[in-house]
């Protein structure tokens, strides 16, 4: 379940988290993954066959989201301290950026932090297992891992070509320039 950290407020209740994020234009849902996937989810790193097994086990969710939002593809991201070049991977996304397509993530294991600047407000959304989040195109955000340093997330795409970071200057965004 997600937790929101604002300047003077922490939001933990699921309904309030959803309400806050909806107000910021972000789609948020809380889904549970089937228990049968736990043995694979509990492993830190996965080989290609295990990744495929996870995605197959979540195919029903993909179908449901395809019908609702029109996604065309999905893949799986597995990040932890033993991933080669993990610091470089994180460095690409921990700075304020936008994408020209939505950024859609379903967290199925571990946790992480999305940061946003929307409407002049800077806030963090701490996501964990079960959280589904869809960040609209051209939304100022960043992402990083937390102290647990481990996450598995399914990414859903309408168009993967639009999914590269475009960096923006935080000072200018906060100043409304
Ligand atoms: Fe991003």
């Amino acid at each position: 379940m997600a937790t929101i950290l604002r300047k003077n407020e922490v939001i933990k209740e699921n309904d309030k988290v959803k309400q806050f994020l909806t107000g910021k234009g972000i789609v948020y849902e809380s889904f549970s993954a089937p228990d049968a996937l736990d043995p694979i989810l509990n492993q830190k790193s996965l080989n290609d066959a295990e990744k495929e097994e996870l995605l197959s086990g979540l195919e029903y969710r993909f179908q449901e989201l395809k019908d609702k939002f029109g996604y065309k593809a999905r893949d799986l991201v597995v990040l932890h301290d033993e991933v080669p070049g993990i610091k470089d991977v994180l460095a690409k996304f921990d700075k304020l950026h936008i994408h020209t397509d939505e950024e859609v993530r379903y967290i199925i294991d571990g946790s992480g932090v999305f940061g946003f600047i929307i409407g002049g407000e800077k806030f963090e959304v701490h996501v964990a297992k079960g959280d589904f989040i869809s960040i609209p195109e051209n939304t100022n955000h960043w992402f990083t891992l937390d102290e647990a340093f481990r996450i598995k997330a399914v990414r859903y795409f309408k168009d993967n070509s639009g999914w590269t970071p475009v960096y923006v200057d935080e000072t200018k965004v906060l100043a409304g320039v």
Side-chain angles (χ1 to χ4, degrees):
M1 194 173 301
T3 301
I4 292 169
L5 268 61
R6 302 177 75 186
K7 200 174 174 192
N8 296 309
E9 189 185 12
V10 176
I11 306 174
K12 287 186 171 174
E13 300 81 7
N14 208 44
D15 289 353
K16 289 184 180 166
V17 164
K18 191 171 174 171
Q19 193 183 13
F20 175 82
L21 291 175
T22 304
K24 296 287 185 189
I26 297 167
V27 174
Y28 171 79
E29 300 286 347
S30 184
F31 297 137
S32 57
D35 294 344
L37 297 176
D38 279 352
I40 303 179
L41 288 173
N42 290 340
Q43 287 176 225
K44 183 159 88 169
S45 65
L46 302 178
N47 60 33
D48 287 347
E50 288 161 340
K51 284 182 183 175
E52 209 36 63
E53 200 177 329
L54 262 189
L55 288 172
S56 302
L58 292 167
E59 192 63 17
Y60 71 100
R61 186 71 68 199
F62 180 38
Q63 289 303 327
E64 187 186 298
L65 293 168
K66 238 183 194 176
D67 294 343
K68 196 169 174 188
F69 299 110
Y71 304 133
K72 294 192 174 71
R74 87 279 187 259
D75 67 8
L76 181 68
V77 181
V78 179
L79 300 177
H80 53 76
D81 59 349
E82 287 169 29
V83 169
I86 182 66
K87 290 213 167 112
D88 295 335
V89 173
L90 290 175
K92 274 191 203 169
F93 301 110
D94 68 3
K95 289 178 275 299
L96 195 66
H97 63 274
I98 57 167
H99 304 283
T100 55
D101 192 13
E102 292 164 284
E103 176 164 334
V104 187
R105 300 287 181 274
Y106 173 29
I107 316 302
I108 54 174
D109 176 62
S111 51
V113 182
F114 282 99
F116 295 93
I117 301 179
I118 300 176
E121 181 183 359
K122 192 173 180 178
F123 60 94
E124 289 181 358
V125 181
H126 291 241
V127 292
K129 184 174 179 174
D131 290 326
F132 171 87
I133 190 165
S134 173
I135 303 166
E137 58 187 32
N138 300 319
T139 300
N140 293 302
H141 70 281
W142 69 93
F143 174 79
T144 191
L145 290 177
D146 57 21
E147 315 75 53
F149 217 77
R150 162 174 167 156
I151 201 164
K152 294 186 186 69
V154 183
R155 310 191 297 179
Y156 297 97
F157 303 97
K158 283 180 186 159
D159 169 18
N160 358 12
S161 66
W163 204 79
T164 42
V166 179
Y167 298 106
V168 289
D169 185 333
E170 180 173 335
T171 329
K172 285 185 180 170
V173 172
L174 282 171
V177 179

